[in-house]
Amino acid sequence: MPDDTPRPPHRQPWEHGWDPDASRTPGIRRLWLAGALALATIAAGATAIAVNDGATSGKTASPAPPGAPTDSGPGLLSFASPSPGATASSGAAADRSGGARSGTAAPSAAGRASGHPDRPATGPAKSPETKRSSPKPSSGLRSVRSLNHPDRYWHVSDGLVRLDPAGSAAERRDATFKVVKGLAKAGCYSFATADGGYLRHRNFLLRAEHDDGSRLFEQDATFCPRSSAFAGAVMLESVNYPGRYLRHQDFQLKLDPSQNTDLYRADSAFLLVPGLA
């Protein structure tokens, strides 16, 4: 009996000249392709996420807001326009630390001592020293009259100076002096006598003596005018015994410490009048 059972055709080679690989399971190539596509998709997603993260981190690391100076190294500061909040904070910090606000210049140490706006003061400002005014005699010869004994004048008698009436020509001559610039101090007075001597104090008594050229004589013969409690009158203070003034007592001229009494003020007040001689 003839064998009519159809048989499968004999495997033929592919048109490209190579035989199919019968060792592989059908569909594996598609699986590889699908896997490769999935990996590519995952890689693309990872890249996109990385890019987004980088952008986000760049925004987070943005520079400090305006008004906060950033230190770029020693001596290098960049200053931006301050915001209102930063200005208020910095002003408060300056006040707490004792610093000066902007627009207010802090005075330097060198003047606060002189009052100049740019200099610091070493202490409270001192008021200028006031000098007591007093009448000054004009050039020429002068006599010195007592305020509370207006008929008596300085008069040289036996080498001492007393308050005496000046009636005779000799008395008027001995009661007349030349008022010159102070021997020890230019702003004060010295009284020269007719015989070339000067009035000086010694043992606190006023007397007429000749200049011996010593510094002591110059000081003893110098008296500084001070204003009196009486109009037109003058008090005469010793240059080398400050606080002691010429006054008359029992009609004798002497140096006495200042006293706060009416009698002392009257006894130490004198009028410089034109010379009697």
Side-chain angles (χ1 to χ4, degrees):
M1 176 175 184
D3 188 4
D4 295 335
T5 303
R7 296 183 180 180
H10 183 71
R11 295 183 182 179
Q12 299 293 330
W14 293 84
E15 294 179 358
H16 297 288
W18 51 271
D19 292 333
D21 188 3
S23 62
R24 293 186 179 181
T25 304
I28 291 199
R29 182 178 297 176
R30 293 188 181 90
L31 292 176
W32 280 105
L33 290 175
L37 181 59
L39 291 175
T41 303
I42 293 173
T47 303
I49 292 173
V51 171
N52 290 335
D53 289 344
T56 304
S57 61
K59 293 181 180 178
T60 303
S62 59
T70 56
D71 192 353
S72 302
L76 300 176
L77 291 177
S78 61
F79 296 93
S81 300
S83 63
T87 303
S89 299
S90 60
D95 288 347
R96 288 193 297 269
S97 60
R101 289 181 178 269
S102 60
T104 305
S108 60
R112 276 186 308 266
S114 67
H116 191 280
D118 294 337
R119 299 181 182 174
T122 58
K126 295 182 179 180
S127 59
E129 182 180 357
T130 56
K131 296 182 179 179
R132 292 179 290 179
S133 61
S134 59
K136 293 185 178 181
S138 59
S139 59
L141 299 178
R142 290 288 180 269
S143 292
V144 186
R145 189 176 72 190
S146 169
L147 179 79
N148 53 354
H149 291 278
D151 60 335
R152 290 176 178 261
Y153 299 84
W154 287 11
H155 173 248
V156 178
S157 176
D158 295 330
L160 296 175
V161 181
R162 296 178 49 86
L163 271 186
D164 290 327
S168 66
E171 290 173 338
R172 291 196 295 271
R173 184 191 67 236
D174 291 339
T176 301
F177 311 96
K178 185 176 182 179
V179 181
V180 299
K181 181 173 65 176
L183 299 180
K185 189 174 182 179
C188 301
Y189 300 158
S190 289
F191 297 86
T193 60
D195 61 356
Y198 291 92
L199 302 185
R200 67 167 301 184
H201 68 82
R202 181 159 59 84
N203 297 329
F204 300 118
L205 295 179
L206 189 63
R207 62 190 75 220
E209 292 185 359
H210 286 277
D211 187 359
D212 60 8
S214 67
R215 177 64 176 169
L216 178 61
F217 184 94
E218 292 176 349
Q219 292 178 334
D220 287 349
T222 302
F223 304 92
C224 298
R226 306 294 186 225
S227 58
S228 169
F230 303 93
V234 63
M235 296 176 66
L236 295 165
E237 184 181 21
S238 169
V239 74
N240 55 348
Y241 284 92
R244 284 181 176 262
Y245 297 83
L246 288 174
R247 69 167 298 184
H248 68 81
Q249 194 173 35
D250 296 330
F251 300 119
Q252 174 69 53
L253 270 295
K254 60 189 293 187
L255 271 184
D256 239 8
S258 176
Q259 301 172 25
N260 188 23
T261 64
D262 292 338
L263 178 61
Y264 182 92
R265 284 188 283 269
D267 286 350
S268 60
F270 299 100
L271 300 170
L272 301 179
V273 298
L276 297 178

